[in-house]
């Protein structure tokens, strides 16, 4: 699955992580789940690294007026990618709740 054409996904490998196409594809697939919730998503930046025998995934998303940063650690990189995208999804849902008008004006008021 390929990310939408208006989405710019960048992947950076740091600190002992070997560049791997399967990791890039998996990260792109997971971020398309986020693009369903954020319609104006333009930039998505993944950074993968190893710290103290743990895999670390960092995610930075810019979508119109919404910006999210998340970091997750796991035993393997795929688990860290799952966790970091879930964190960003939670942030986007929270943002949508904040901007939603919970008290719409009634049109039939006297």
């Amino acid at each position: 699955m390929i990310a939408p054409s208006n989405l710019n996904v960048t992947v950076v490998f740091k600190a002992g992580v070997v560049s791997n196409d399967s990791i890039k594809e998996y990260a792109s697939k997971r971020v398309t789940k986020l693009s369903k919730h954020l319609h104006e998503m333009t930039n998505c930046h993944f950074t993968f690294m190893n710290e103290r025998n743990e895999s670390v995934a960092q995610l930075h998303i810019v979508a119109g007026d919404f910006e999210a940063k998340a970091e997750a650690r796991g035993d393997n990189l795929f688990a860290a990618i799952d966790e970091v995208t879930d964190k960003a999804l939670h942030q986007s849902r929270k943002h949508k709740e904040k901007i939603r008008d919970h008290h719409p004006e009634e049109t039939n008021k006297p």
Side-chain angles (χ1 to χ4, degrees):
M1 180 180 279
I2 299 173
S5 60
N6 60 345
L7 178 62
N8 182 17
V9 179
T10 54
V11 179
V12 176
F13 294 93
K14 290 184 175 179
V17 179
V18 179
S19 177
N20 191 343
D21 288 337
S22 64
I23 293 172
K24 289 179 185 179
E25 285 181 30
Y26 188 71
S28 294
K29 184 178 110 177
R30 291 289 295 178
V31 83
T32 55
K33 183 177 181 181
L34 285 170
S35 68
K36 293 176 185 175
H37 294 277
L38 301 169
H39 302 290
E40 299 174 15
M41 193 152 93
T42 55
N43 291 321
C44 178
H45 182 79
F46 280 101
T47 304
F48 302 125
M49 63 186 100
N50 285 330
E51 288 182 354
R52 298 183 187 154
N53 297 329
E54 286 185 319
S55 297
V56 179
Q58 296 176 338
L59 176 60
H60 181 216
I61 296 173
V62 177
D65 63 341
F66 174 71
E67 184 173 350
K69 291 182 181 179
E71 180 177 309
R73 297 171 185 272
D75 292 334
N76 63 28
L77 207 47
F78 293 101
I81 292 169
D82 286 340
E83 188 177 341
V84 78
T85 53
D86 288 343
K87 285 181 179 182
L89 182 63
H90 179 73
Q91 288 179 21
S92 70
R93 286 181 182 154
K94 197 171 183 182
H95 174 72
K96 279 180 122 175
E97 279 294 316
K98 284 183 179 180
I99 64 171
R100 181 185 294 160
D101 186 12
H102 291 286
H103 303 287
E105 293 182 25
E106 292 181 23
T107 56
N108 296 333
K109 275 190 171 181

